[in-house]
Amino acid sequence: MASEEYLRRTAITRLSVTPSQKDRIEETLDEWRQGANIATEIGWRHTETRKRKLQSLAYDSIRENTALGSQHSILACFQAAQALSGTLDQNERMATRSKPTFTAPTIPYDKNSMTVFDDGTVSLSTTDGRIRPELVLPESTDGYQYAYLDNDEWSLTESRLTARDDGYFLHLGFRKRKPKLADQSAECRTVLGVDLGIENLAVTSTATFESGRKLSHERRQFERVRRELQRAGTESAHRTLCERNRREERYTRAYLHQVSNAVVEDAIATSCTHIAFENLTHIRDSMPGGRTFHQWAHRRLVDYVRYKATEHGIDVVFVDPEYTSRKCHECGHTSERNRPERDHFSCEECGTTAHADYNAAKNIGWRHVRHGLQNSGRTGDGQLALKSGTVKPNDGFVPYSAQESEVESTDKPHSSTESVS
């Protein structure tokens, strides 16, 4: 089955190892690096980057000169071939870059060299037989690892053991078949519009507000400490700076995952088939140079939303961002005067008021609904997801249920004068 037909995810888990198991892991890591470098040297000498061909050339040498077992010897050949493919030109005998070298304390595992058991232990091949350490999993079943370990739709695939922070971590690889994405016809689509910003990192057409204030505050704190450490200029300050940079990256990644989860959960809860963003070129061009971090954060956030939404068959799409912040989502009137303040939208034509980012999120969603109708040439049944229901171009507002609480004042039958057919 082609690789592109699968979704792939990684679940990172710490290993609980005994002193004896630690010694066997360390020996295996050392032997693995030696074996991979042997395969690299042979592949470099023969200008060979094909996995199976390099295996036939290097396998015997790895077995003779290392304590690696059969499967890890094969994997060493495969890893070397992958590393060489970026440095050797098959059409020439000359290397375009320097020969790669394996130095990192990491080793791959596959289904032939690793088995995960239901009791929370894992069997790993080493140079001295197999060991069976425990996986350090979260006590609560809310831990994200359980979404893959306890789900039959996900199957274990290529994984990696890494030594870091005085411990050992398994990067467990999982895959499952990609679900079919939402039907692209206008008749079936329910769209969640999402506006990205700085004060509010993400605002949806269902009135979910994900603040960016905490992320911006932490970013300023990191920058302040970074400047102080750079001024110090000592070796100790440099080590601290590297650790702070890693901590900032982990914090930012976790924060963006939290926001992306909220957006996808919002789409699932409102049965959306599509999540619509402004196109990413606009995100880059609409911010001054000093907001480079937020440009990066928005792109990373969209990437997270896209791969998480795909798991649920929800398609992520992009629309033209023109006038989404100045246009009234109710009557379609567009004017700079509609946005007298950064956070406030007030249509000078029909009097509709709303939070400016919320208004923009609705416009973004509406733009994709209309785009589908125009493409199909049909009247269709595309709709926009709102806080308390959905709204359709022709049929107006429909609440989610009869028990729905008071409908928001701006969730009402759409009265746009624009053509949507």
Side-chain angles (χ1 to χ4, degrees):
M1 185 67 66
S3 176
E4 59 269 17
E5 294 184 15
Y6 286 99
L7 293 172
R8 296 181 181 272
R9 299 292 180 265
T10 300
I12 303 174
T13 59
R14 180 188 286 270
L15 290 177
S16 176
V17 300
T18 65
S20 173
Q21 290 172 340
K22 178 179 179 180
D23 291 342
R24 292 160 75 177
I25 289 175
E26 287 295 332
E27 180 182 355
T28 305
L29 287 170
D30 289 341
E31 294 294 299
W32 160 259
R33 286 191 289 263
Q34 183 179 348
N37 285 325
I38 289 173
T40 301
E41 174 61 34
I42 293 173
W44 182 266
R45 191 165 62 245
H46 290 271
T47 321
E48 184 58 67
T49 63
R50 291 169 294 180
K51 293 192 300 184
R52 294 297 180 184
K53 184 64 176 178
L54 184 54
Q55 177 186 341
S56 68
L57 293 171
Y59 177 83
D60 289 342
S61 181
I62 295 173
R63 293 302 305 273
E64 292 171 3
N65 292 282
T66 74
L68 291 178
S70 175
Q71 190 60 25
H72 270 137
S73 297
I74 294 172
L75 292 176
C77 295
F78 290 178
Q79 289 284 300
Q82 182 178 356
L84 287 167
S85 64
T87 61
L88 292 177
D89 186 342
Q90 286 294 302
N91 297 320
E92 301 177 7
R93 299 295 297 180
M94 297 293 292
T96 59
R97 293 201 293 268
S98 60
K99 181 179 65 176
T101 303
F102 287 85
T103 60
T106 182
I107 181 171
Y109 279 88
D110 61 8
K111 64 181 181 180
N112 295 317
S113 53
M114 178 185 72
T115 305
V116 176
F117 295 96
D118 292 338
D119 64 359
T121 61
V122 57
S123 173
L124 300 170
S125 293
T126 72
T127 53
D128 185 20
R130 283 193 172 240
I131 60 174
R132 190 163 171 173
E134 291 184 3
L135 298 172
V136 183
L137 295 167
E139 292 184 6
S140 170
T141 55
D142 291 339
Y144 81 97
Q145 294 92 338
Y146 293 109
Y148 307 107
L149 290 168
D150 296 343
N151 190 332
D152 291 339
E153 291 185 1
W154 292 97
S155 59
L156 196 64
T157 182
E158 295 82 5
S159 302
R160 184 169 296 275
L161 184 150
T162 298
R164 62 176 172 85
D165 300 333
D166 297 322
Y168 300 98
F169 295 82
L170 264 182
H171 295 238
L172 294 169
F174 293 89
R175 74 177 187 179
K176 74 173 182 179
R177 294 183 186 276
K178 284 184 178 180
K180 292 183 178 179
L181 289 178
D183 191 330
Q184 295 294 312
S185 67
E187 288 80 4
C188 308
R189 69 181 64 202
T190 300
V191 182
L192 180 74
V194 184
D195 179 63
L196 301 179
I198 297 175
E199 188 77 6
N200 291 302
L201 198 59
V203 178
T204 73
S205 59
T206 55
T208 293
F209 284 73
E210 294 297 327
S211 175
R213 292 181 182 179
K214 187 176 181 181
L215 182 62
S216 296
H217 172 75
E218 292 297 327
R219 172 70 174 176
R220 290 192 296 270
Q221 293 294 100
F222 280 123
E223 286 290 347
R224 179 183 61 79
V225 174
R226 184 181 292 112
R227 287 193 297 269
E228 294 174 355
L229 291 171
Q230 288 173 337
R231 281 197 295 267
T234 64
E235 184 177 344
S236 175
H238 176 72
R239 289 196 299 269
T240 304
L241 178 60
C242 291
E243 175 55 34
R244 293 285 300 189
N245 288 340
R246 288 192 292 269
R247 188 183 307 172
E248 178 185 7
E249 182 181 354
R250 290 194 297 268
Y251 173 84
T252 303
R253 185 168 61 244
Y255 194 93
L256 295 176
H257 271 299
Q258 177 182 325
V259 174
S260 65
N261 287 339
V263 171
V264 175
E265 288 167 5
D266 203 355
I268 294 171
T270 51
S271 302
C272 287
T273 59
H274 296 73
I275 299 174
F277 292 96
E278 294 177 331
N279 70 61
L280 296 180
T281 301
H282 172 73
I283 292 175
R284 180 193 65 201
D285 295 341
S286 64
M287 290 188 179
R291 302 303 177 97
T292 302
F293 169 75
H294 285 89
Q295 296 173 15
W296 170 86
H298 287 159
R299 289 177 179 274
R300 180 62 64 88
L301 175 60
V302 170
D303 287 342
Y304 288 167
V305 170
R306 188 183 347 227
Y307 88 71
K308 293 175 183 179
T310 302
E311 290 184 19
H312 301 279
I314 300 172
D315 199 6
V316 170
V317 295
F318 301 92
V319 301
D320 185 346
E322 189 175 21
Y323 304 128
T324 54
S325 63
R326 303 175 184 176
K327 179 179 178 180
C328 177
H329 67 271
E330 287 293 337
C331 71
H333 177 67
T334 304
S335 171
E336 290 185 8
R337 293 187 293 273
N338 283 350
R339 193 171 181 177
E341 302 172 14
R342 201 214 71 82
D343 291 339
H344 184 62
F345 182 91
S346 180
C347 180
E348 62 180 2
E349 184 73 16
C350 72
T352 293
T353 61
H355 189 286
D357 296 340
Y358 185 32
N359 175 76
K362 291 184 177 183
N363 282 328
I364 291 167
W366 265 123
R367 190 151 292 176
H368 187 62
V369 171
R370 295 190 183 103
H371 177 72
L373 295 176
Q374 291 165 350
N375 280 355
S376 67
R378 308 181 182 102
T379 56
D381 200 23
Q383 54 192 341
L384 174 67
L386 299 174
K387 180 178 181 180
S388 304
T390 59
V391 63
K392 303 179 182 182
N394 301 316
D395 299 332
F397 177 79
V398 178
Y400 287 127
S401 71
Q403 292 77 34
E404 191 66 56
S405 58
E406 182 179 355
V407 174
E408 182 187 357
S409 61
T410 53
D411 286 358
K412 55 189 179 182
H414 191 66
S415 57
S416 172
T417 57
E418 296 183 332
S419 171
V420 295
S421 62

